[in-house]
Amino acid sequence: DTPAPTATPMPDRTKAEQFCDTARALIDLPYTRGGTSEETGFDPGGFVYYCLNKVGVKVRHKTSKGYSEMTDWMLVESMDDLEIGDLCFFITPGNEAVNCVCIYLGNHEMIYPSSGKGAVIVTKINTDYWEEAFVFARRVF
């Protein structure tokens, strides 16, 4: 028996790049709990919802945990296997379930609305903090 693949062998790079470009255009917009638009600002779930819909992936608004449960998207179990556009899921200190979703941009960078910084930021994923908090990723494209 061969194990089921955990990532699509040929990701749709064009769509993934459009997704990342959409996200990058939102850098510095405010973090707002429950926010889902450029006008209101974003929280991580609202940010993913907005960016996916902008590139034609029609999804309902979910929390970070809700998106982590989208089993029709391929599972990526290791940070070493990330491709641009992958959704990375984290359990940050003090939480017991997935509470953060970020979009992987490539080159060990990801983008998300940071409650701590109060804005959409790009940060390195290959730090002790994020490596310890990483649960898995999902490949939408």
Side-chain angles (χ1 to χ4, degrees), residues 1-140:
D1 279 356
T2 41
T6 56
T8 48
M10 294 297 294
D12 185 338
R13 299 288 291 202
T14 304
K15 265 288 202 231
E17 286 167 11
Q18 290 172 353
F19 182 53
C20 290
D21 289 345
T22 299
R24 274 192 199 92
L26 305 172
I27 290 172
D28 293 331
L29 285 178
Y31 169 91
T32 306
R33 187 179 174 95
T36 60
S37 73
E38 291 183 60
E39 294 73 38
T40 61
F42 299 96
D43 68 8
F47 185 70
V48 166
Y49 164 79
Y50 178 88
C51 293
L52 285 173
N53 277 280
K54 274 288 203 193
V55 296
V57 179
K58 298 303 177 199
V59 292
R60 292 190 19 239
H61 180 236
K62 297 180 180 290
T63 62
S64 298
K65 184 175 187 302
Y67 286 117
S68 76
E69 296 166 349
M70 300 279 288
T71 55
D72 46 334
W73 295 338
M74 296 299 280
L75 181 66
V76 180
E77 297 184 74
S78 168
M79 276 190 175
D80 295 334
D81 297 328
L82 292 174
E83 297 282 346
I84 67 161
D86 285 353
L87 299 180
C88 301
F89 298 95
F90 302 92
I91 300 173
T92 59
N95 292 279
E96 295 181 12
V98 168
N99 68 307
C100 185
V101 58
C102 303
I103 299 169
Y104 185 66
L105 298 173
N107 297 321
H108 306 290
E109 291 185 332
M110 63 182 183
I111 186 170
Y112 75 109
S114 165
S115 58
K117 302 278 189 218
V120 175
I121 63 165
V122 173
T123 193
K124 290 289 186 187
I125 195 172
N126 57 340
T127 65
D128 289 346
Y129 179 86
W130 290 112
E131 287 175 354
E132 288 170 25
F134 182 79
V135 183
F136 56 80
R138 292 221 180 257
R139 183 153 304 145
V140 181

